[in-house]
Amino acid sequence: DAGITQSPRHKVTETGTPVTLRCHQTENHRYMYWYRQDPGHGLRLIHYSYGVKDTDKGEVSDGYSVSRSKTEDFLLTLESATSSQTSVYFCAISDRRSSTDTQYFGPGTRLTVL
Amino acid sequence: AQKVTQAQTEISVVEKEDVTLDCVYETRDTTYYLFWYKQPPSGELVFLIRRNSFDEQNEISGRYSWNFQKSTSSFNFTITASQVVDSAVYFCALSEIGNTDKLIFGTGTRLQVFP
């Protein structure tokens, strides 16, 4: 199994509060991703990173920001959480070499915004 | 635009039955990858297989097999002699080779295997 951890695994917060989710990897992979999973939508990409301090937006980036100051850590921040951001958040990693050009996922974080 | 359709929202079978999960995709890319992931009730996403568009050979891994047909833009997944442990949500996904940051998922098929 890929060495990916996410913290916290569960969080309940109130509308308007800031929230930061952390993804940590031990694989030294260059690429990291944040997805959200919602019923009827599958998984949708929020942001991704292709190196330290290098990030780009995904399909559903509004209301989210990310940071990557170290190879192993990729943070997802909700500056002011809203109920529409209640979801399960998954982090993924990839090293993008042709033989292993596959995204491997962390265990997920269930976020509830009241 | 790329799109993945998993028309079967939920499938229920009895143990030992064979079951096929359908995946139909749309892409203008000539080179692409197709993936299947499994999400068991515990919630994690488990990678099952990646196939590239160059290779239409079917693949078998134990009780699992995959049928890739470019002519019908399908990448179907069959579980032979299903078991209760196969109960999960299965996702099909698509990305362009060389641009695998853009991984497009289907909405998933929930498979329930009853004893």
Side-chain angles (χ1 to χ4, degrees):
Chain A
D1 289 342
I4 313 168
T5 56
Q6 293 185 228
S7 58
R9 294 292 314 279
H10 302 271
K11 186 170 182 67
V12 180
T13 191
E14 295 192 349
T15 298
T17 59
V19 176
T20 295
L21 308 182
R22 179 183 183 234
C23 177
H24 179 77
Q25 60 144 330
T26 58
E27 306 295 322
N28 201 35
H29 284 355
R30 180 180 171 190
Y31 292 82
M32 299 185 74
Y33 310 83
W34 276 108
Y35 290 86
R36 60 178 289 172
Q37 181 181 19
D38 304 291
H41 290 278
L43 280 85
R44 294 178 293 174
L45 182 65
I46 304 171
H47 281 282
Y48 67 100
S49 170
Y50 47 95
V52 173
K53 298 193 190 310
D54 293 322
T55 65
D56 204 351
K57 295 179 179 180
E59 178 188 357
V60 290
S61 60
D62 287 349
Y64 302 94
S65 62
V66 290
S67 65
R68 191 166 177 204
S69 58
K70 299 184 290 185
T71 298
E72 58 266 35
D73 290 327
F74 191 33
L75 304 181
L76 177 71
T77 297
L78 292 66
E79 300 289 350
S80 178
T82 67
S83 58
S84 64
Q85 293 175 312
T86 292
S87 186
V88 180
Y89 291 86
F90 286 96
C91 173
I93 66 174
S94 172
D95 65 4
R96 292 287 302 271
R97 290 175 296 177
S98 60
S99 62
T100 58
D101 199 354
T102 296
Q103 293 185 25
Y104 295 92
F105 287 81
T109 294
R110 183 173 296 276
L111 176 67
T112 302
V113 184
L114 301 176
Chain B
Q2 295 179 318
K3 184 179 179 181
V4 175
T5 300
Q6 295 180 256
Q8 304 153 308
T9 305
E10 188 162 339
I11 301 174
S12 296
V13 299
V14 177
E15 221 173 6
K16 298 184 183 178
E17 284 186 33
D18 298 347
V19 58
T20 296
L21 309 181
D22 297 334
C23 173
V24 174
Y25 62 92
E26 298 174 29
T27 182
R28 293 179 185 170
D29 301 322
T30 56
T31 57
Y32 50 89
Y33 288 127
L34 293 161
F35 303 81
W36 277 95
Y37 288 86
K38 174 182 180 181
Q39 186 174 40
S42 51
E44 73 272 23
L45 276 159
V46 179
F47 165 72
L48 295 178
I49 189 172
R50 183 194 77 188
R51 298 307 301 273
N52 70 53
S53 52
F54 305 133
D55 184 3
E56 286 193 70
Q57 279 195 335
N58 291 336
E59 181 150 344
I60 298 174
S61 176
R63 295 183 298 104
Y64 294 173
S65 62
W66 290 270
N67 182 0
F68 176 30
Q69 291 195 329
K70 289 179 77 170
S71 61
T72 56
S73 297
S74 64
F75 186 44
N76 296 337
F77 174 29
T78 298
I79 302 174
T80 302
S82 59
Q83 299 176 2
V84 172
V85 292
D86 296 326
S87 297
V89 180
Y90 291 88
F91 290 96
C92 181
L94 163 73
S95 74
E96 179 187 357
I97 292 177
N99 190 20
T100 51
D101 299 319
K102 311 297 183 187
L103 187 59
I104 306 299
F105 283 85
T107 51
T109 297
R110 180 179 300 277
L111 173 65
Q112 293 195 329
V113 182
F114 294 98

